[in-house]
Amino acid sequence: MSKQIIKTNQAPAAIGPYEQAIRIGNLVFSSGQIALDPKTGYFLSGEIEEETEQTLKNIRSIIEASGLSTKNIVKTTVYLT
């Protein structure tokens, strides 16, 4: 099975040695996201609602760049501190 790297400028670039997402076969695996604004590159430091909304926008952008939608998400894990 071949591996396809998924990238979009509508979400923050990967900060480490990983990709925003990878498609293997008919599955897409996305890396973790935080509340970085892809336009400014700055972390949104505000209320939890604002940070959560930006994080979900980033995830949606990556999923859509792979040709899917949020309806195709099978599993997600959320870490809160």
Side-chain angles (χ1 to χ4, degrees):
M1 244 182 254
S2 66
K3 170 173 81 170
Q4 175 191 6
I5 295 171
I6 309 293
K7 290 184 179 181
T8 178
N9 60 3
Q10 300 299 308
I15 298 171
Y18 54 89
E19 304 296 341
Q20 290 172 323
I22 295 177
R23 177 188 299 276
I24 300 176
N26 63 354
L27 297 175
V28 174
F29 299 90
S30 179
S31 63
Q33 291 296 309
I34 57 175
L36 278 177
D37 182 334
K39 294 175 187 152
T40 65
Y42 290 108
F43 182 77
L44 294 182
S45 182
E47 298 296 319
I48 183 100
E49 294 86 1
E50 179 185 24
E51 292 180 26
T52 301
E53 184 176 339
Q54 183 62 54
T55 302
L56 293 174
K57 284 180 184 177
N58 295 342
I59 293 168
R60 183 181 313 113
S61 294
I62 293 168
I63 295 300
E64 289 175 354
S66 72
L68 301 173
S69 77
T70 54
K71 292 180 181 181
N72 299 109
I73 295 174
V74 174
K75 180 186 182 302
T76 187
T77 303
V78 177
Y79 296 99
L80 300 173
T81 57

